[in-house]
Amino acid sequence: MKSNIEELRKKYIHNPPEGMTSMDIRNMSEDDLLDMDYFLNEDNLFDDEAGVEGFYIF
């Protein structure tokens, strides 16, 4: 697992997300790095929210 985290760190150091620098990535904890990767790559995080297209309970 450590090698996967280091691969992620290298990926984001070479191409940091908008608003971050490579130094920010270097200083992130492993948990923070994994969380950031999850949220950057998760599709439709809020798809399961109430009020799905036209179905409402009043």
Side-chain angles (χ1 to χ4, degrees):
M1 176 127 168
K2 287 275 189 191
S3 65
N4 293 340
I5 293 171
E6 289 309 311
E7 288 176 25
L8 274 178
R9 192 177 303 277
K10 287 178 186 176
K11 171 185 169 184
Y12 289 117
I13 285 173
H14 293 295
N15 188 18
E18 186 175 335
M20 297 189 84
T21 65
S22 58
M23 186 60 75
D24 295 332
I25 304 298
R26 283 187 185 98
N27 293 326
M28 290 178 88
S29 70
E30 291 177 358
D31 288 336
D32 289 341
L33 186 64
L34 291 171
D35 287 346
M36 179 187 72
D37 183 62
Y38 176 81
F39 286 109
L40 288 174
N41 293 304
E42 181 65 24
D43 291 333
N44 302 320
L45 286 175
F46 304 106
D47 262 358
D48 61 347
E49 284 187 4
V52 178
E53 297 187 328
F55 185 77
Y56 299 95
I57 299 174
F58 294 99

